[in-house]
Amino acid sequence: MARIVLLKDGQSFPYELTVFPARMGRHPDCDVQVDSNMVSRFHAQLVNVDNKIMLEDLSSGNGSFLNGRQLEENKPLALRHNDRIKLGPIKFRYEEESNDSSSELGMTMGVDLNDGASSTIMGSASARGFGVFEVRPEDKLRGILKINQNLAGLIEVSSIAPKILDTLFEIFPQADRGAILMKDSVHKRFVPIAQKRRAESEDESVRLSRTVLERVINDKAGILSADAASDSRFSASESISSLTIHSMMCVPMLDMEGEPFGVISLDTQNPMKRFTEEDLELLLAVASQSANSYENVRLLQSHLDKQKQDKEMNIARGVQKALLPDKLPDVEGYRFFASYDAAQAVGGDYFDCFLIGPRKVCVSFGDVAGKGVPGALIMSRMASVVQSTMSFTDDVRIAIQRINSHMCHNMVEGRFVTYILGVIDLEKNRITMANAGHMSPMIRKANGEVEEFNQETIGIPVGIINGYPYEVVERKIAVGDMFVLVTDGVDEAMDPDGNLYTKERVHEFVANGSPDPEVLGRALLADVRVHANGREQNDDITIMTFGRLR
């Protein structure tokens, strides 16, 4: 895998190279778009020739440069790992991902982790706490106060690393270059997120020994290389010799569990201003405080995200509530009641009850597989489909087929709706009903006897098989008959010991309860709450009751 890395303002912005040619320039159609008037609209391009990535100038106005050498028109040059590219004033680095066993540490975004470099470890110190305060305590305190002052008020994680480097260059005047690496949450490797140089130069990178990085991460300790340039084990390392690194420090940043999530590296090119063990202790103290700042900003960001999510969920709750009827039909001789309690901010239970013309009432009741936001989205779709369908027909047989067909179209796998559709003819006092996989309504007669529809009339849930032939049943509604529909959040409600409310208890409560639909519905909900005895609701609870009073 190859990438091109834009180096800007001490930060790195990678572009993965997956399609060739990859054009670079100011035009929006470029694969690597550059915002600079000094760069041509189509300035250069990267081409793949015999599995070799090459850079080609596209007759640019200010030229394309590879490692300081200007490219000739129509004469592409092959790229190697860590080659420097310059288009006008804009600088890039070309990178090829290593396939060796150390690749999990990353070789990306402008920091070279050189495999051949085995640093001279002149000193090390634990990264836990603030180090030993007996060593230059006044300097440590000054450093901690400075980093606290400079990082105060930051609320974005991306802005912390550059601030840390700026502060470190104040604390350590001998530092020439610095870099901060962070652990990638996806690939679990350390990648550079910020770098800084005290003096401008053609080379934008900060080089870091892979050996040092591994030691810092594995030992969770700071490393000091007091004389890297003169060490024989660095003599073959381009990352040390070509940049004349004389001294370097590298320390980890530890999270609240004591695990490294970041690394800070500083080096100097001046042989007269080498880092000491006291400098290492000071850097560890500053790194520890910087790690705390990261944790604080992450916690703050998590809190702000949670507030935003809560606000959005409150809006969603209001939207869902608006989908449910705010009042039920008020017709002579009948009474209707319904209650809805979501287990979360929004839920997947659904009910509706409305007049179709002057003398018919549609009863619609369902339970989406799943709760929370996914269930609520399907519930909202179901509500819309039912309203649309019933505005064209009051025939239950036709309506249930159309509703199922709509819900089968583009339905998410594993999401379905157990559903009951009924139409009450107020003139004939009869109800026509289709049941798509939901538990049968309980019908309480005037004498307290409770019966249910035949289980063989219950079809499969809506949204599974398009064209399924649902059976439609019809029965008379006698004076005193009351229908009770519940979702499984009622019979599966649990007490603190995990005991279910059970369908049998619902049956018994309906048989012995009030003959008034509203009174019985409210009492049933209250009894479920008594059973739960303070246990958190684990599913949406919806109850609908209706019956003929006279």
Side-chain angles (χ1 to χ4, degrees):
M1 177 68 71
R3 62 175 63 84
I4 195 79
V5 181
L6 170 63
L7 306 168
K8 183 179 180 182
D9 300 329
Q11 299 190 58
S12 305
F13 305 91
Y15 295 86
E16 302 292 339
L17 300 177
T18 57
V19 178
F20 296 95
R23 292 184 295 181
M24 307 167 66
R26 199 175 69 250
H27 196 278
D29 289 342
C30 287
D31 301 281
V32 180
Q33 188 179 0
V34 179
D35 184 16
S36 173
N37 291 330
M38 301 294 290
V39 175
S40 301
R41 295 170 72 249
F42 296 99
H43 197 108
Q45 67 178 3
L46 299 165
V47 295
N48 190 333
V49 180
D50 297 329
N51 291 325
K52 290 184 178 180
I53 310 302
M54 308 186 77
L55 176 67
E56 181 180 6
D57 183 74
L58 298 177
S59 303
S60 62
N62 290 312
S64 303
F65 296 82
L66 178 60
N67 296 324
R69 172 186 173 187
Q70 185 170 0
L71 273 67
E72 298 180 25
E73 188 176 344
N74 298 323
K75 289 187 178 180
L77 294 179
L79 297 176
R80 295 180 300 175
H81 177 60
N82 280 335
D83 274 351
R84 301 183 304 278
I85 298 171
K86 187 176 179 182
L87 309 182
I90 306 301
K91 299 175 183 179
F92 296 85
R93 178 170 294 278
Y94 172 74
E95 297 179 349
E96 292 178 347
E97 189 166 322
S98 171
N99 293 321
D100 62 24
S101 60
S102 300
S103 62
E104 70 277 1
L105 297 174
M107 295 179 66
T108 62
M109 298 175 68
V111 174
D112 177 20
L113 307 179
N114 188 278
D115 291 312
S118 300
S119 63
T120 305
I121 309 302
M122 301 299 294
S124 65
S126 170
R128 299 186 183 278
F130 291 116
V132 184
F133 268 89
E134 286 74 11
V135 181
R136 294 166 62 185
E138 68 282 358
D139 288 343
K140 283 188 177 174
L141 180 59
R142 191 179 299 113
I144 292 170
L145 292 175
K146 185 178 288 291
I147 198 72
N148 276 342
Q149 180 181 9
N150 289 355
L151 298 182
L154 297 181
I155 60 173
E156 293 185 3
V157 172
S158 60
S159 62
I160 296 179
K163 274 286 188 182
I164 292 175
L165 290 178
D166 290 342
T167 306
L168 290 176
F169 272 49
E170 294 179 39
I171 297 174
F172 298 100
Q174 70 269 49
D176 290 316
R177 285 185 298 262
I180 295 180
L181 292 79
M182 287 288 175
K183 191 173 185 179
D184 185 293
S185 59
V186 178
H187 302 291
K188 306 301 181 184
R189 62 184 182 182
F190 285 79
V191 297
I193 62 167
Q195 54 183 304
K196 182 178 177 68
R197 294 165 294 117
R198 192 174 295 277
E200 292 294 327
S201 67
E202 287 297 318
D203 197 318
E204 289 278 349
S205 70
V206 176
R207 307 295 178 90
L208 179 59
S209 163
R210 188 182 298 273
T211 303
V212 170
L213 183 59
E214 288 175 340
R215 283 284 301 273
V216 169
I217 295 170
N218 294 334
D219 296 347
K220 304 177 186 177
I223 296 297
L224 167 67
S225 176
D227 195 5
S230 62
D231 195 303
S232 60
R233 285 174 288 183
F234 281 133
S235 60
S237 171
E238 180 188 357
S239 67
I240 300 297
S241 60
S242 67
L243 297 179
T244 61
I245 294 175
H246 285 276
S247 182
M248 64 182 298
M249 296 187 294
C250 189
V251 300
M253 288 188 290
L254 306 181
D255 60 21
M256 299 178 69
E257 286 74 39
E259 295 300 320
F261 69 89
V263 171
I264 300 175
S265 173
L266 294 178
D267 70 59
T268 177
Q269 296 174 292
N270 191 333
M272 305 302 295
K273 296 182 178 180
R274 298 170 183 169
F275 296 119
T276 66
E277 291 188 8
E278 293 179 350
D279 290 327
L280 180 63
E281 290 286 351
L282 178 54
L283 181 58
L284 280 167
V286 174
S288 178
Q289 194 62 25
S290 299
N292 289 340
S293 296
Y294 264 104
E295 292 296 323
N296 291 337
V297 170
R298 285 169 177 163
L299 289 173
L300 175 60
Q301 192 61 55
S302 176
H303 174 68
L304 294 176
D305 290 343
K306 180 65 166 57
Q307 283 187 323
K308 181 181 178 182
Q309 184 183 42
D310 289 345
K311 183 177 180 180
E312 291 175 347
M313 290 305 293
N314 285 333
I315 295 173
R317 182 190 292 112
V319 171
Q320 184 174 48
K321 185 178 180 180
L323 293 174
L324 300 173
D326 56 354
K327 62 180 181 179
L328 301 181
D330 182 10
V331 294
E332 185 179 355
Y334 284 81
R335 181 165 295 166
F336 296 86
F337 169 80
S339 67
Y340 176 85
D341 291 274
Q344 301 176 17
V346 292
D349 281 5
Y350 156 76
F351 76 89
D352 205 351
C353 187
F354 52 91
L355 283 166
I356 307 175
R359 301 305 297 167
K360 288 187 178 181
V361 175
C362 175
V363 175
S364 185
F365 192 86
D367 185 358
V368 177
K371 50 184 177 291
V373 174
L377 291 173
I378 296 176
M379 174 271 196
S380 64
R381 183 182 175 193
M382 187 74 182
S384 175
V385 168
V386 171
Q387 283 282 346
S388 175
T389 300
M390 301 310 295
S391 65
F392 290 99
T393 181
D394 59 6
D395 188 313
V396 172
R397 190 180 303 276
I398 296 174
I400 189 67
Q401 290 290 341
R402 290 181 179 176
I403 292 169
N404 181 52
S405 178
H406 277 291
M407 296 304 293
C408 283
H409 183 63
N410 292 332
M411 177 62 97
V412 178
E413 184 177 355
R415 300 288 180 180
F416 52 84
V417 185
T418 62
Y419 178 63
I420 293 174
L421 177 66
V423 172
I424 303 171
D425 188 325
L426 301 175
E427 294 285 354
K428 299 179 180 178
N429 292 313
R430 300 188 69 83
I431 184 170
T432 307
M433 185 173 288
N435 189 331
H438 200 81
M439 68 179 77
S440 174
M442 296 181 184
I443 307 164
R444 183 183 188 275
K445 297 183 178 181
N447 60 5
E449 181 184 346
V450 178
E451 65 178 38
E452 299 179 11
F453 286 100
N454 190 324
Q455 292 294 316
E456 294 181 358
T457 65
I458 300 177
I460 65 172
V462 163
I464 296 179
I465 299 177
N466 195 4
Y468 181 84
Y470 290 99
E471 186 171 345
V472 175
V473 296
E474 184 178 349
R475 64 162 287 157
K476 182 177 178 58
I477 305 177
V479 175
D481 282 355
M482 177 172 53
F483 290 70
V484 179
L485 289 72
V486 299
T487 58
D488 54 12
V490 173
D491 59 291
E492 294 179 1
M494 290 187 288
D495 66 12
D497 296 327
N499 300 311
L500 299 178
Y501 188 81
T502 72
K503 185 178 179 181
E504 289 73 24
R505 183 164 172 176
V506 177
H507 191 284
E508 181 181 353
F509 191 91
V510 171
N512 299 321
S514 170
D516 185 293
E518 182 173 354
V519 174
L520 185 135
R522 294 187 185 280
L524 176 59
L525 177 60
D527 195 55
V528 171
R529 298 293 188 207
V530 170
H531 171 78
N533 193 23
R535 175 163 180 160
E536 186 176 353
Q537 188 176 326
N538 64 296
D539 201 356
D540 305 328
I541 295 176
T542 305
I543 300 171
M544 176 184 280
T545 57
F546 59 91
R548 184 182 174 189
L549 303 181
R550 58 182 184 274

